Amino acid sequence: MATFAKIGLNNKVIEVLSVHNNELKDSNGVEQENIGIDFLTKLTGWPIWKQTSYNTIGGVHKLGGTPLRKNFAGIGHTYDEGRDAFIPLNLLILGF
């Protein structure tokens, strides 16, 4: 499963949805984030989504893979475009 964060006002995560990996594959069978975003946009009518990884915490992929956007996105987290990262609320309070 691939997981996507729905991004709202002020880059806040307002929902997190999972999509079957087959919905992300291009004609060569390679998963593409933009195909998942198009799928979710058509499904929900909402255009702003970012893929997130359940296995990424603190910039480390806990299974040894490539970390994606520093942290798994949760509702209330902020997406920082400059860092291409999801920032949990507790880190925002601390000023990170």
Side-chain angles (χ1 to χ4, degrees):
M1 296 296 275
T3 310
F4 288 81
K6 181 179 181 180
I7 310 297
L9 293 176
N10 300 317
N11 285 338
K12 295 289 182 192
V13 176
I14 54 177
E15 187 174 14
V16 178
L17 294 178
S18 293
V19 175
H20 193 281
N21 292 350
N22 287 342
E23 299 299 338
L24 280 70
K25 291 184 179 178
D26 64 17
S27 59
N28 295 315
V30 178
E31 293 180 16
Q32 303 286 341
E33 179 179 14
N34 63 313
I35 295 173
I37 292 169
D38 289 346
F39 174 81
L40 284 168
T41 299
K42 289 175 188 168
L43 182 69
T44 68
W46 192 267
I48 307 169
W49 297 87
K50 293 289 181 183
Q51 192 168 3
T52 186
S53 172
Y54 178 77
N55 292 310
T56 301
I57 301 169
V60 176
H61 192 282
K62 64 184 179 183
L63 300 178
T66 302
L68 181 63
R69 299 201 165 100
K70 311 293 187 229
N71 294 290
F72 177 69
I75 294 173
H77 292 186
T78 298
Y79 174 67
D80 183 319
E81 292 181 44
R83 293 190 272 180
D84 191 26
F86 290 108
I87 311 300
L89 183 59
N90 57 348
L91 292 179
L92 288 173
I93 292 169
L94 295 173
F96 287 91

